[in-house]
Amino acid sequence: MNSTTMRRAGLSIAVAAALTGVAACGSSGGGDGDEKGKKKGSVALSPIAALRTIQDKTDSADSAKVEGKTVMGTKMSMDMAGSMEWSDGITGTMTATLTGGTQAEQMEQIGQSKIDYRYLKNGFYANMGDKFAEQAGGGKHWIEYDYATLADMSGAAGDAFKDQMQNTTPNQSVKMLLASGDVKRVGEETVRGAKATHYSGTVDAADFTGKNADLDAEQMAELRKQFKQVGLTTQTIDIWVDADDLLVKKAEKGKMADGDFSQTAYYSDYGTPVSVEKPPASDTMSFKDLMNQQPQA
């Protein structure tokens, strides 16, 4: 097994981690929207006012179970399920099952179609399986992806990724709608048998991500260039909220150079206990070490 294959697999792991159910570019912000809103008692709230309530309620819930599906053009499609906690940074566990795309094919080369993730405050870990451990990992199954290291290796996109992974919570989709400027209340619908209110809006992906990561002008120009290269400009954001003002579903859609991007995630069991253990150091190698491996591993 050559090192190019392993590096590509390692990158696929990082992309998949960024696309789990809570991963969404997010920032606080505001905007004007349709004044037809959700009723709270006898008072009709505007979409903006309703979303601010939803943002606060979801943020204070601290944890939830997450499951969903992501399609990233021709590169990747995957299903994911797990639980996340966000009272003090993002922690949690998630299992991603790769179901198609070129990056899934790369993972198949190392005999891995299902990836177990562990998220901690300063980075995340991915279990690469026995074949990786035997042939390239020096007997180690886990790869460590330290956020600071990833940021150093990836320029402006890395800074944005670091901020996203350390600060994203389910209510980031709500914040995206607040910042979109054109949020509207679509109406009442049913999500998995329960009544929910549907809101929708459109966001400039690069601008929103850059503002969230507090990038300077030079970094912002680089980020826009990187977004342009993958063809992602705007994203449509839809959320569904239950009677307790908690997010129960989100859907994000956008166009990419190699196809459509879409992600749908469902949130349930808010307040669920979440326990995460750091993999043992004896069974872990760093992503940086993987990328620096010699031509033949």
Side-chain angles (χ1 to χ4, degrees), residues 117-273:
Y117 290 102
R118 296 182 187 178
Y119 295 85
L120 297 171
K121 288 179 63 175
N122 297 316
F124 66 92
Y125 298 80
N127 191 325
M128 296 287 280
D130 292 338
K131 190 172 182 179
F132 168 85
E134 293 170 3
Q135 299 189 20
K140 300 176 180 180
H141 294 78
W142 293 86
I143 296 180
E144 177 190 16
Y145 294 81
D146 176 80
Y147 295 140
T149 300
L150 288 174
D152 289 341
M153 295 172 67
S154 306
D159 291 333
F161 176 81
K162 177 184 176 183
D163 183 84
Q164 173 183 321
M165 296 301 294
Q166 288 185 305
N167 298 299
T168 296
T169 65
N171 73 354
Q172 297 301 321
S173 295
V174 182
K175 294 179 180 180
M176 291 178 80
L177 283 180
L178 282 168
S180 70
D182 71 344
V183 59
K184 63 181 179 179
R185 180 180 182 273
V186 179
E188 300 295 325
E189 299 175 12
T190 300
V191 175
R192 295 187 166 182
K195 291 183 178 180
T197 304
H198 180 187
Y199 296 89
S200 183
T202 302
V203 177
D204 181 306
D207 183 61
F208 196 85
T209 305
K211 288 180 178 178
N212 181 50
D214 194 26
L215 304 182
D216 61 29
E218 183 178 350
Q219 291 173 315
M220 192 66 206
E222 180 186 347
L223 183 66
R224 284 193 176 279
K225 180 179 179 181
Q226 292 171 334
F227 268 73
K228 186 177 181 179
Q229 287 174 343
V230 299
L232 185 61
T233 54
T234 60
Q235 285 180 256
T236 300
I237 311 294
D238 290 85
I239 65 168
W240 289 259
V241 183
D242 67 11
D244 295 322
D245 292 319
L246 292 171
L247 184 68
V248 292
K249 178 184 176 182
K250 74 153 186 182
E252 300 183 21
K253 295 181 181 179
K255 295 287 186 180
M256 300 182 67
D258 61 351
D260 294 337
F261 166 81
S262 66
Q263 183 184 77
T264 301
Y266 295 88
Y267 304 93
S268 64
D269 299 279
Y270 280 94
T272 190

Side-chain angles (χ1 to χ4, degrees), residues 24-103:
C25 306
S27 174
S28 59
D32 296 323
D34 189 333
E35 288 304 314
K36 294 180 180 178
K38 178 179 178 181
K39 287 188 176 181
K40 194 76 171 177
S42 60
V43 179
L45 299 179
S46 72
I48 295 300
L51 287 173
R52 285 175 178 150
T53 299
I54 295 161
Q55 174 187 332
D56 291 341
K57 289 291 291 291
T58 301
D59 185 54
S60 63
D62 287 346
S63 65
K65 292 182 179 179
V66 184
E67 60 179 290
K69 184 177 184 65
T70 297
V71 177
M72 191 177 173
T74 59
K75 291 184 180 298
M76 179 185 293
S77 62
M78 69 176 182
D79 299 327
M80 56 267 189
S83 57
M84 304 298 285
E85 200 265 349
W86 54 89
S87 63
D88 182 22
I90 297 295
T91 60
T93 60
M94 193 74 64
T95 298
T97 303
L98 305 180
T99 56
T102 55
Q103 291 181 339

